[in-house]
Amino acid sequence: MPRRTPPTEASWLALDHQLCFALYSSSLAMTKLYKPLLEPLGLTYPQYLVMLVLWEQDGLAVSQVGERLFLDSGTLTPLLKRLQTAGLIERQRDGADERRVLVHLTPAGRTLRQRAQAIPEHITCAVACDLAEISRLTQELKALRERLTAASAA
């Protein structure tokens, strides 16, 4: 294996050497790719993520939705309000614990899932990766997120 020359101190500050920028710009590109696919559904990308969580498991507490999406309540609450206004979800106090608010799909929210079925296939085609590569990238990014979360908690 050829030996790599370590980058100079100055080159570490080059934009193209920044992991954070690679992640940030990739996230922007991914969101841009989703936008025309989500517009016919009347969803923004963050709203789509909430719907994905609820399509997996309906009737979660707001806190559980936030945990799944790594969002705090200040960010999540406006998203949920807009989805409720659109008639896709309902928020109700938990009868067993009034402090908890549960999020349920409405019939319209459940129906929207069928209209969203083709989105993952469009994304797979656009990124030009096979399913094994997508799975590998996803697992690597999850592992990176876990390490970053642990580092920020330390």
Side-chain angles (χ1 to χ4, degrees):
M1 227 181 198
R3 212 156 206 232
R4 292 187 184 187
T5 307
T8 64
E9 189 175 313
S11 70
W12 274 111
L13 293 177
L15 182 64
D16 289 337
H17 292 171
Q18 304 302 309
L19 175 61
C20 60
F21 181 68
L23 290 168
Y24 172 74
S25 58
S26 295
S27 178
L28 289 175
M30 184 64 79
T31 304
K32 186 176 181 180
L33 183 60
Y34 270 94
K35 188 174 172 52
L37 300 172
L38 295 174
E39 280 179 347
L41 305 180
L43 296 174
T44 63
Y45 183 71
Q47 291 170 341
Y48 174 67
L49 296 179
V50 170
M51 295 303 290
L52 287 174
V53 169
L54 295 172
W55 289 330
E56 279 182 32
Q57 186 176 354
D58 195 5
L60 292 174
V62 170
S63 61
Q64 292 172 301
V65 175
E67 287 169 13
R68 284 291 316 270
L69 296 175
F70 299 90
L71 294 176
D72 60 38
S73 63
T75 303
L76 185 57
T77 299
L79 284 172
L80 295 175
K81 283 182 179 180
R82 285 192 293 277
L83 289 169
Q84 187 167 6
T85 299
L88 299 174
I89 66 163
E90 293 176 342
R91 293 177 297 157
Q92 301 169 336
R93 294 267 171 211
D94 185 347
D97 182 352
E98 286 290 318
R99 296 170 296 178
R100 287 176 24 123
V101 175
L102 302 177
V103 184
H104 295 277
L105 291 167
T106 63
R110 282 188 285 283
T111 301
L112 191 62
R113 185 178 193 276
Q114 294 305 316
R115 293 180 53 208
Q117 282 294 130
I119 292 174
E121 186 177 344
H122 280 82
I123 298 301
T124 301
C125 291
V127 298
C129 295
D130 62 28
L131 293 178
E133 185 176 3
I134 289 172
S135 179
R136 182 184 55 74
L137 285 167
T138 301
Q139 292 308 312
E140 288 177 12
L141 288 170
K142 285 179 182 177
L144 175 62
R145 181 185 64 220
E146 289 172 10
R147 291 191 301 270
L148 291 170
T149 301
S152 68

